[in-house]
Amino acid sequence: MKNQNETPLFDALKNYQKDNIISFDVPGHKKNSKGLAEFSEVMGEKILQMDANSMKQLDHLSNPTGVIKKAEELMADAYGSDHSFFLVNGTTSGVQAMIMSAVKPGEKIILPRNAHKSAVNALILSAAIPVYIQPEIDSELGISTGISVKNLEEAIAENPDAKAVFLMNPTYYGAISNLSKIINLSHRNGMAVLVDEAHGAHLPFSEELPKNAMKLGADMAAVSLHKTGGSLTQSSALLLNEGFIGYSSVKTVLNLTQTTSASYLLMGSLDVARKNLSVNGEKRFREILQWLREARERLNKIDGIYAFGKETIDGNGTYAFDETKLGINVNKTGLSGFEVYDILRDEYNIQVELADTYNILAIVSVGDTRENLMALVDAIEDLVEKHREEPFTVKCIPLCNPKIIVSPRSAFYAEKKVVSLKNAVGEISGESIMAYPPGIPIVTPGEKITQEMIDYIGLLKEERTVLTGTEDPEVNNIKVLGMN
């Protein structure tokens, strides 16, 4: 175990700021308020002084040999992996690098259909062929959970030539698949295991939380420390256990897409966040989990509210559960999740992570306080009393695995025409459509558009959900394959 109290990159950055070097390199603001006056007045001049360029003393992200390398080694040690790579393009760049490192053009990858849009974009970049697994569904909550070992066994049997298995750990609402069995099954069949652990950066730092992917033997995982670990937005890490995939090949792939002008503010925050998680995480999450259990107990006493947790574990799609994901089912109050999301923001000045038809999701992490968590509980008690309506049943439209007509990459580059969404049934999509957050596609390039997709998009529009992916900002039209 390395000394997790060390912060080699952040220390070098502090020394650079103290040295007060006369700068004739970039960035152009030259570390003073003359270069970015209005920004400096609000943020402070020190942030400009630490916004540095790559140099010998601060190392280079594209080929680290100094303080970045040391910081990455500490990150790998903290997560139980052989190697780590700092990411300044978010976990999106990590997901792309994982898939491009493991799967060549034309090769198959097995993944759940509720994967994030970054995975679909990685299929376009890599020219890999997706084999989708339908995730398990919790019909009471109206959400998808993890993938079952049985479904994966069937997918592997039907596609023994697949090169990799990709999954999320945990899902947005905290469901965790049986990772240990999935990893062992995949490896026995010669397939690498890639894990989008964007919402699981905190998992290794408490014995009360489920184990993280790398400690269970996954080949690669991308973790968003900015989401649940405390670093600055857009900063993440890519983790690697060598075997199926080599260090050099991952480094090469990352350098295809990641910026050559890496932000030292982002990287410095990764270094400090890792230290904080490693040194203080066990104690911090012990108290956070106590607050969460108290919050769930109070919420579940409110008529029509269900704050779900570890009782949802069924040994199938939910083999374990991440309690830091405070999912709150609200539909029995007569309100939709979308309505509660808006009321909390507009009337109580509280921002939750996301909403769907039945639920809202609050993410609780290292920066939270008991006071703020209880303020959320108080707000939900109050809004239910003020806004409660007659319970109603919202039609939940389950989306089955789509029929893939052409590969995502072929569809992306194909000739396209624009049609109205209502007339698109039976066409092959040339674009993606998704609600954001969470960024899970409803339709992706190369898939046959079905009536249930159109109906579901209509339902989301009725709830004023933010839809993205199409060139049409109103999502009334969609590009499909073919020529006008």
Side-chain angles (χ1 to χ4, degrees), residues 141-155:
L141 299 175
I143 60 175
S144 57
T145 59
I147 63 172
S148 69
V149 174
K150 181 176 179 293
N151 282 355
L152 179 59
E153 286 174 337
E154 291 174 357

Side-chain angles (χ1 to χ4, degrees), residues 81-374:
S81 63
D82 293 336
H83 305 283
S84 82
F85 304 83
F86 280 8
L87 304 174
V88 294
N89 294 39
T91 294
T92 289
S93 63
V95 168
Q96 292 172 350
M98 286 196 295
I99 291 176
M100 293 173 71
S101 297
V103 190
K104 294 184 177 66
E107 293 181 339
K108 295 178 183 176
I109 180 170
I110 299 171
L111 70 165
R113 184 55 182 80
N114 62 336
H116 188 263
K117 70 172 185 177
S118 59
V120 176
N121 291 343
L123 298 176
I124 294 171
L125 290 171
S126 66
I129 306 299
V131 175
Y132 288 123
I133 302 179
Q134 185 68 19
E136 299 301 302
I137 302 294
D138 186 318
S139 56
E140 179 186 354
L141 299 175
I143 60 175
S144 57
T145 59
I147 63 172
S148 69
V149 174
K150 181 176 179 293
N151 282 355
L152 179 59
E153 286 174 337
E154 291 174 357
I156 289 175
E158 293 171 5
N159 301 274
D161 55 339
K163 299 299 181 182
V165 174
F166 177 95
L167 66 154
M168 296 185 295
N169 182 63
T171 65
Y172 285 91
Y173 282 106
I176 288 178
S177 305
N178 190 339
L179 272 179
S180 182
K181 279 194 174 180
I182 287 172
I183 291 167
N184 290 335
L185 173 64
S186 302
H187 284 173
R188 285 200 308 271
N189 286 274
M191 300 177 189
V193 179
L194 318 175
V195 184
D196 177 353
E197 217 160 37
H199 285 271
H202 57 295
L203 292 180
F205 305 103
S206 171
E207 291 296 325
E208 296 184 64
L209 293 170
K211 285 185 169 60
N212 68 310
M214 300 312 285
K215 287 184 179 176
L216 290 173
D219 299 283
M220 296 186 77
V223 292
S224 292
L225 277 88
H226 71 92
K227 285 186 168 69
T228 59
S231 66
L232 293 178
T233 295
Q234 201 175 307
S235 59
S236 297
L238 181 60
L239 310 169
L240 169 68
N241 282 329
E242 284 203 89
F244 281 86
I245 304 164
Y247 173 86
S248 296
S249 62
V250 176
K251 179 180 168 184
T252 299
V253 169
L254 270 177
N255 285 337
L256 284 176
T257 58
Q258 187 157 234
T259 178
T260 56
S261 301
S263 166
Y264 279 88
L265 296 174
L266 297 184
M267 292 190 291
S269 78
L270 283 172
D271 204 18
V272 176
R274 182 268 314 151
K275 173 189 172 180
N276 183 45
L277 288 167
S278 298
V279 175
N280 303 313
E282 191 68 49
K283 178 182 177 182
R284 188 80 179 105
F285 283 108
R286 187 182 306 120
E287 60 185 2
I288 287 170
L289 290 169
Q290 288 175 348
W291 303 338
L292 279 161
R293 289 159 191 163
E294 180 185 353
R296 282 188 168 91
E297 185 177 352
R298 283 187 57 193
L299 287 165
N300 286 330
K301 290 178 180 176
I302 303 171
D303 185 28
I305 292 292
Y306 172 36
F308 50 93
K310 293 176 77 171
E311 75 283 350
T312 59
I313 294 172
D314 59 9
N316 197 29
T318 306
Y319 183 78
F321 186 82
D322 174 13
E323 291 181 79
T324 67
K325 306 299 186 293
L326 183 56
I328 304 171
N329 183 263
V330 300
N331 70 300
K332 290 184 175 64
T333 65
L335 301 168
S336 72
F338 299 113
E339 289 173 311
V340 173
Y341 177 100
D342 287 338
I343 293 169
L344 283 171
R345 184 65 180 86
D346 297 340
E347 298 184 20
Y348 298 90
N349 204 33
I350 291 174
Q351 181 70 59
V352 294
E353 173 69 11
L354 60 86
D356 60 40
T357 308
Y358 293 112
N359 311 283
I360 61 169
L361 173 65
I363 290 178
V364 182
S365 62
V366 291
D368 281 295
T369 64
R370 182 185 179 279
E371 180 183 13
N372 285 349
L373 185 56
M374 295 309 151

